[in-house]
Amino acid sequence: MASQFTISGQDLEQWYYWATQEARVAHISPSEVDWFILAMTPLDSLSLRLGLYKERSQIPVKCSLSELTQLWQCRVKQRVPLQYLVGETPWRRFSLKVSPDVLIPRPETELIIDFALKAVQHSRNPYLSSGHWVDLGTGSGAIALGLADSFPQATIHAVDTSIQALTIAQENAIKEGFSSQIHFYQGSWWTPLEHLQGQVSAMVSNPPYIPTSLLSQLEPEVKKHEPILALDGGNDGLEAINYLIDTAPNYLISGGIFLVEMMAGQGEKVKQLLEASYHYQAIEILPDLAGVGRFALAYRC
């Protein structure tokens, strides 16, 4: 890690104790202190856990000790998500750049890539994995990168209304080596992709799905700092999902995949909407790691 700042092991030990106490008082998991230090220094989790760093005279760090303290106070007092403070988050095998311009990719969303892989395996169309794949509302580009990684023969099209989000997504694609496989577009949902009507193998999306009335009840980390545009799903939370159900058939090939993430408790309604469309078959509501239905999968008739 190239850095002009260093900290002694003893000073880091004292800082670690202070930050952990601050976290406990603020009802923040002390494990976040570990994650923060691992992101800001070249230390590994074993060295941190065993305290092997304590005798070191110099440990490189990305910022000064006072700046480190200021950042942690932003976490504790302003409830700024840790991922925004360090500017990155782990997701699948990637380390993605994030900022308040994009939703922080959640660990449960990693499953959508696994479900996409299974959907291709269960499809009767052998060419799905090499066609056009679409990620609508790409944000940080997480899903687009996951798809590009899993389907190296596919062309990925990633869309977002926010130019700031697209800039971050493009930086992530370049850093992870997928800039030639993923094409980025600014616009609303399918609007920039009209040239792909009837040609899309799969549409994968994590759209806004939280009912407007519930936004005020979200944790302060989310409601105060993450982009509301990526969270607000309208009155019933299904505004975007309903739109995607209605419009995707115009773009998907026969047997093409429709795969979206949704909020817990929305599964039955989303299934009904898919059935009522008459354009989909083999409709499934798929569970997250806790067994809660969080994903809807269907195939274009």
Side-chain angles (χ1 to χ4, degrees):
M1 176 184 291
S3 174
Q4 65 186 83
F5 302 102
T6 60
I7 186 174
S8 71
Q10 284 188 329
D11 284 344
L12 183 58
E13 181 185 15
Q14 291 176 357
W15 189 92
Y16 181 85
Y17 177 79
W18 167 81
T20 301
Q21 294 303 111
E22 290 279 299
R24 289 197 175 100
V25 170
H27 304 290
I28 292 172
S29 171
S31 65
E32 287 201 21
V33 183
D34 292 38
W35 197 90
F36 185 51
I37 289 177
L38 294 176
M40 300 299 286
T41 72
L43 295 176
D44 58 53
S45 55
L46 183 64
S47 298
L48 196 59
R49 188 166 67 250
L50 299 180
L52 302 179
Y53 66 90
K54 295 177 183 178
E55 303 305 318
R56 292 177 56 175
S57 60
Q58 288 189 330
I59 299 169
V61 63
K62 289 183 177 179
C63 62
S64 68
L65 184 58
S66 63
E67 289 174 313
L68 203 67
T69 298
Q70 289 173 1
L71 285 172
W72 189 247
Q73 286 177 332
C74 286
R75 174 71 192 102
V76 170
K77 295 180 179 179
Q78 299 174 32
R79 311 301 287 200
V80 178
L82 197 56
Q83 295 91 333
Y84 290 157
L85 291 178
V86 301
E88 62 184 27
T89 190
W91 197 81
R92 289 185 76 84
R93 70 173 185 84
F94 311 118
S95 178
L96 299 179
K97 177 179 179 178
V98 292
S99 83
D101 291 314
V102 300
L103 200 68
I104 297 167
R106 269 48 175 187
E108 58 264 26
T109 304
E110 296 183 17
L111 286 173
I112 208 167
I113 306 301
D114 299 320
F115 288 135
L117 283 162
K118 291 177 183 176
V120 167
Q121 292 167 4
H122 296 158
S123 170
R124 296 177 182 176
N125 187 333
Y127 303 108
L128 282 184
S129 62
S130 59
H132 295 286
W133 283 64
V134 172
D135 171 21
L136 297 181
T138 193
S140 66
I143 289 176
L145 266 68
L147 293 174
D149 191 38
S150 299
F151 303 104
Q153 302 305 313
T155 301
I156 314 298
H157 305 270
V159 179
D160 206 287
T161 57
S162 166
I163 191 66
Q164 293 86 359
L166 285 171
T167 299
I168 289 175
Q170 287 173 309
E171 288 180 24
N172 283 326
I174 292 169
K175 182 168 72 74
E176 299 295 342
F178 295 112
S179 57
S180 62
Q181 190 184 355
I182 304 174
H183 303 283
F184 293 96
Y185 309 80
Q186 184 185 12
S188 176
W189 304 117
W190 294 104
T191 306
L193 302 179
E194 290 185 356
H195 62 288
L196 291 179
Q197 288 193 38
Q199 301 177 54
V200 175
S201 295
M203 184 220 73
V204 185
S205 180
N206 179 17
Y209 51 67
I210 298 173
T212 305
S213 61
L214 296 183
L215 292 174
S216 62
Q217 301 175 30
L218 296 174
E219 295 177 342
E221 286 84 350
V222 178
K223 67 182 179 183
K224 290 184 178 180
H225 300 286
E226 298 204 60
I228 292 298
L229 189 66
L231 298 167
D232 190 349
N235 288 338
D236 61 356
L238 297 174
E239 192 174 288
I241 292 176
N242 202 7
Y243 171 79
L244 295 177
I245 289 172
D246 287 345
T247 53
N250 297 327
Y251 292 84
L252 293 173
I253 61 173
S254 178
I257 295 165
F258 176 96
L259 179 58
V260 299
E261 182 173 334
M262 61 194 167
M263 191 171 78
Q266 293 177 336
E268 189 55 39
K269 180 61 176 175
V270 171
K271 186 176 182 181
Q272 290 172 5
L273 290 170
L274 286 163
E275 290 171 343
S277 152
Y278 296 109
H279 289 297
Y280 300 96
Q281 60 187 350
I283 300 164
E284 290 183 84
I285 302 302
L286 302 167
D288 60 16
L289 294 175
V292 178
R294 287 289 305 276
F295 305 91
L297 169 67
Y299 297 85
R300 172 76 160 94
C301 292

